[in-house]
Amino acid sequence: MKVYNTLTKQKEEFKPLVNGEVKMYVCGPTVYNFFHIGNGRTFIVFDTIRRYFEYRGFKVDFVQNFTDIDDKMIKKANEENTTVKEIGDKYIKEYYKDADALNIERASVNPRATEYISDIIKFVKELVNKGYAYEVNGDVYFSTKKFNSYGKLSGQNIEDLQSGARISIDERKQDPMDFAIWKAQKTGEPAWKSPWGMGRPGWHIECSCMAKKILGDTIDIHAGGSDLAFPHHENEIAQSEALTGKSFSNYWLHSAFVNVNNEKMSKSLNNFFTAREILEKFDADVIRFLMLSAHYRQQLNFSEDLLYSAKASVERIYNTIGNLENLIVEVSRDEINEEEKKYLESLSKYKNKYIEKMDDDFNTADAITAIFDLIKDINTNITINSSKELVKEALSLIRELGMPLGILQKSTKGTLEDEIEGLIEQRQKARKDKDFALADKIRDDLKARGIVLEDTPQGVRWKKI
Ligand code: AMP
Ligand code: ZN
C-alpha cells in the first residue's frame, strides 16, 4: 500500500512498525460545539482509512483525542455560565451522537486532555530538564532553536518560518517562534497544580503526550486536517522527538478542507453547516459518499447541489441492491452453475480495481468508479433467471466494497433482521475466503450492538442480548 507522507512530500510504501498492525493517532475536535461537516470530512476520511487498513487485514489501534481545555472551551463555559468540564461532557456526548449517525467507527481510545494532566506535567518537566524548554513567570515555552530539525514537516527552515509567520512579539519568549507548552493561570481559568504554579497545558503538548502514553514513542500514522500541519503537528514533532530522541510518527497524513465559496468552512467565518443539520435531510451514506467522492487531499467545495447529486448516485447503487434483495426471494433456482461461476469470477476485476485504487493513497474517488462499473455489469447480467447463490454473491460483493467506505450496508427492506442476515452472509464469505480478520470484525461489530452470533451445525444463528 502506498500513502502520501506530508513529511517527505511523496507517496511511500506503507511499512508498519509491527507487521500487520497500525498505530494511528488522529487529532480530534475541540469539544465546545457541534461539529460542522468540514470537521466531519476529516473524521470520515480517517475513519475510512482505518476501515480500509482493517479490510486489508491490519489490526488498527486508532486513537482520536478530545481537546477539552483551551481558550475556546473557557470562553464557552463563561458564556453558558457553567464549567469547562460540563461543556466538555456535553459536547463529547453530542460528538458521539453525530459520529455514530455518520457511521464513524468508535476509536479504540478517545483520550481527553484533562485526564492526562499529570503525564503532561511530567512531559513538560523532562523537556525543561533536558534544556528544550524554559519557564517565565509560570509559563513554559518550547525553545524551537534547540530542536535542530524544527520546520521539517512544513518544509521550511526556522528563518523562513519566522519571516513568514505573523507572530506577535512577546518579550517573555526568547525567540518569536517559541511556543507555550504550559500556560500560567489567568483569573477565573481552570488550573492544575504544577512545578511552575497553577496552570494548564498548551494545545500541542496534549497530543504529543497522549499519543506517547497510549501508543508509544513512535507511531505509524499521525493525521489531521491540513490546517494542523503547521504549527500544531510541527510543534508536536519538536516536543516528542526532543523528549525521546526517536522518530515520533513515520507517516503524516493530512486531509484537505471543505470549503464554502472557496473559503475554508469554519466556525469563526460562520459559513458552516453542522453535521447534525445535514443529517436531518440526508442519509449518512449520502454524506459519506459526497466526502469520499473527492480524493482526501483535494479540497471540496461544499454545496447543497453536490449533496443532491451524491444522493442520486447513492440511490442508483441502492436500486441495484434492492433488485438483488428482491431477486433472492424471487428466483427459482438455488445453485450456481458453471457459466455463472465464470461470470462471478469475472466480477473480481472490479474488486481488484477497487483495491488497486485504494492501495494507491486511498483513492476513494476511483474506488467509487469501480463500484459503479460493478453495478453496471450486475444490472445487465443478473436477472430473474440467475441462481439465488449468484445473486447473493453479487450482493455481498457490493456490500464488501462499500464497507471500508462506511456505505452500502443498509437493506432496502429496512429491517434489522435483513441487515443482520446480510452481515452474517458477509462473514460466511469472509471465512470462506480465509479473511478471518474481516470475519472477526463483523462478529465483533455485531457484538458491540448487542447481537451475538452462534455457529451451530445448522448454520449461524443470532440473538440479541
Ligand atoms: P477543531 O474542532 O477545529 O479542532 O477541528 C477538528 C478537526 O477538523 C481538525 O482535524 C481540523 O483540521 C479539521 N477541520 C477543521 N475545519 C475543517 C474544514 N473546513 N475542512 C476539513 N477539515 C476541517
Ligand atoms: Zn493534535
Side-chain angles (χ1 to χ4, degrees):
M1 276 169 79
K2 284 204 155 57
V3 300
Y4 182 87
N5 190 351
T6 311
L7 195 60
T8 56
K9 313 239 167 340
Q10 58 190 12
K11 280 187 203 168
E12 292 175 24
E13 190 60 36
F14 178 72
K15 293 198 195 93
L17 291 159
V18 177
N19 248 345
E21 291 183 18
V22 183
K23 291 184 204 305
M24 181 165 178
Y25 184 98
V26 181
C27 291
T30 308
V31 280
Y32 70 105
N33 220 326
F34 296 106
F35 67 83
H36 59 64
I37 53 157
N39 308 130
R41 180 188 193 187
T42 298
F43 307 144
I44 288 169
V45 160
F46 294 114
D47 175 58
T48 300
I49 289 177
R50 175 231 191 134
R51 284 166 174 267
Y52 187 66
F53 273 118
E54 287 174 342
Y55 176 68
R56 300 289 272 135
F58 288 89
K59 176 182 168 292
V60 185
D61 257 337
F62 187 91
V63 179
Q64 184 181 286
N65 70 295
F66 290 122
T67 296
D68 64 347
I69 174 75
D70 83 337
D71 292 344
K72 286 177 273 186
M73 297 285 303
I74 295 169
K75 186 164 169 265
K76 181 81 171 187
N78 288 339
E79 278 166 14
E80 298 205 355
N81 208 10
T82 178
T83 60
V84 167
K85 164 94 173 66
E86 296 242 314
I87 293 291
D89 288 348
K90 174 173 171 194
Y91 287 106
I92 285 173
K93 237 195 235 151
E94 304 296 353
Y95 167 86
Y96 284 128
K97 268 193 216 157
D98 293 339
D100 289 348
L102 285 170
N103 205 14
I104 291 169
E105 280 185 16
R106 294 270 177 125
S108 323
V109 192
N110 281 129
R112 285 177 73 154
T114 55
E115 287 168 0
Y116 287 80
I117 300 290
S118 62
D119 295 297
I120 293 172
I121 291 174
K122 218 171 106 204
F123 202 121
V124 175
K125 223 156 75 181
E126 281 181 48
L127 285 176
V128 174
N129 290 344
K130 287 189 158 197
Y132 282 105
Y134 57 92
E135 188 235 351
V136 185
N137 298 335
D139 287 325
V140 182
Y141 294 99
F142 185 90
S143 180
T144 44
K145 281 231 166 89
K146 293 257 166 65
F147 183 68
N148 283 337
S149 45
Y150 192 78
K152 70 176 171 183
L153 184 67
S154 36
Q156 302 180 77
N157 62 34
I158 200 155
E159 284 75 29
D160 294 339
L161 285 168
Q162 265 172 10
S163 57
R166 273 176 284 140
I167 342 161
S168 54
I169 300 296
D170 183 340
E171 65 259 20
R172 285 169 302 181
K173 295 184 192 175
Q174 292 172 1
D175 186 284
M177 290 310 291
D178 293 353
F179 56 90
I181 54 180
W182 186 262
K183 298 178 172 181
Q185 182 182 27
K186 294 194 195 109
T187 322
E189 284 185 0
W192 291 263
K193 220 168 113 192
S194 82
W196 317 282
M198 297 298 284
R200 62 179 166 100
W203 171 37
H204 317 302
I205 198 84
E206 296 169 8
C207 287
S208 276
C209 178
M210 292 187 285
K212 174 176 165 26
K213 181 86 184 176
I214 299 165
L215 295 172
D217 290 353
T218 304
I219 65 176
D220 292 297
I221 295 178
H222 195 121
S226 59
D227 53 337
L228 299 189
F230 186 84
H232 184 51
H233 290 161
E234 193 74 65
N235 291 352
E236 281 192 45
I237 291 177
Q239 299 161 151
S240 297
E241 299 193 355
L243 185 85
T244 65
K246 298 176 199 163
S247 154
F248 177 33
S249 177
N250 289 337
Y251 303 90
W252 288 84
L253 270 58
H254 292 102
S255 63
F257 291 149
V258 171
N259 292 339
V260 179
N261 297 325
N262 299 313
E263 264 189 316
K264 179 194 171 192
M265 179 180 288
S266 76
K267 282 165 195 158
S268 53
L269 289 174
N270 206 22
N271 61 352
F272 65 91
F273 298 90
T274 61
R276 188 159 300 187
E277 61 190 318
I278 303 290
L279 274 162
E280 271 170 23
K281 276 169 76 182
F282 296 91
D283 193 83
D285 274 49
V286 172
I287 300 170
R288 290 187 73 110
F289 183 97
L290 168 59
M291 298 299 173
L292 300 172
S293 61
H295 189 269
Y296 76 93
R297 287 188 288 111
Q298 234 167 29
Q299 300 200 354
L300 196 110
N301 210 19
F302 176 79
S303 69
E304 198 154 78
D305 282 354
L306 272 187
L307 270 170
Y308 280 108
S309 110
K311 184 166 183 253
S313 300
V314 169
E315 276 169 4
R316 264 171 61 206
I317 308 177
Y318 271 108
N319 272 341
T320 300
I321 290 176
N323 286 340
L324 294 175
E325 283 179 330
N326 290 336
L327 284 176
I328 287 175
V329 186
E330 290 162 6
V331 292
S332 48
R333 184 162 52 88
D334 279 351
E335 268 189 37
I336 194 162
N337 64 29
E338 284 310 311
E339 198 186 330
E340 287 179 330
K341 272 187 193 157
K342 276 204 197 101
Y343 173 68
L344 188 60
E345 255 315 296
S346 79
L347 293 184
S348 63
K349 64 177 174 280
Y350 301 110
K351 174 171 162 176
N352 295 341
K353 191 84 195 161
Y354 173 97
I355 289 176
E356 181 195 319
K357 294 299 178 184
M358 288 295 282
D359 272 1
D360 181 16
D361 192 32
F362 315 103
N363 191 338
T364 50
D366 285 358
I368 286 173
T369 305
I371 295 180
F372 272 109
D373 292 342
L374 167 69
I375 294 292
K376 223 162 47 194
D377 199 323
I378 289 174
N379 285 348
T380 31
N381 289 296
I382 297 191
T383 67
I384 189 76
N385 298 319
S386 303
S387 68
K388 192 171 183 161
E389 201 176 333
L390 175 64
V391 178
K392 280 184 165 180
E393 292 284 348
L395 180 56
S396 92
L397 182 57
I398 298 172
R399 295 216 196 274
E400 179 186 328
L401 302 190
M403 183 127 92
L405 308 178
I407 59 175
L408 310 181
Q409 304 305 301
K410 294 187 187 119
S411 167
T412 57
K413 304 273 173 279
T415 66
L416 179 69
E417 280 75 10
D418 286 328
E419 192 200 338
I420 294 168
E421 295 296 346
L423 286 166
I424 289 174
E425 262 171 42
Q426 270 186 58
R427 177 169 169 263
Q428 294 300 80
K429 179 164 184 306
R431 289 165 118 192
K432 217 171 80 195
D433 294 344
K434 300 215 173 348
D435 186 351
F436 297 110
L438 177 63
D440 287 348
K441 187 169 158 2
I442 293 172
R443 192 198 52 212
D444 293 345
D445 285 354
L446 281 169
K447 198 166 164 206
R449 294 166 58 185
I451 291 147
V452 179
L453 302 187
E454 281 173 3
D455 294 305
T456 73
Q458 288 77 38
V460 183
R461 297 227 174 105
W462 64 273
K463 62 175 184 209
K464 248 183 127 65
I465 47 163

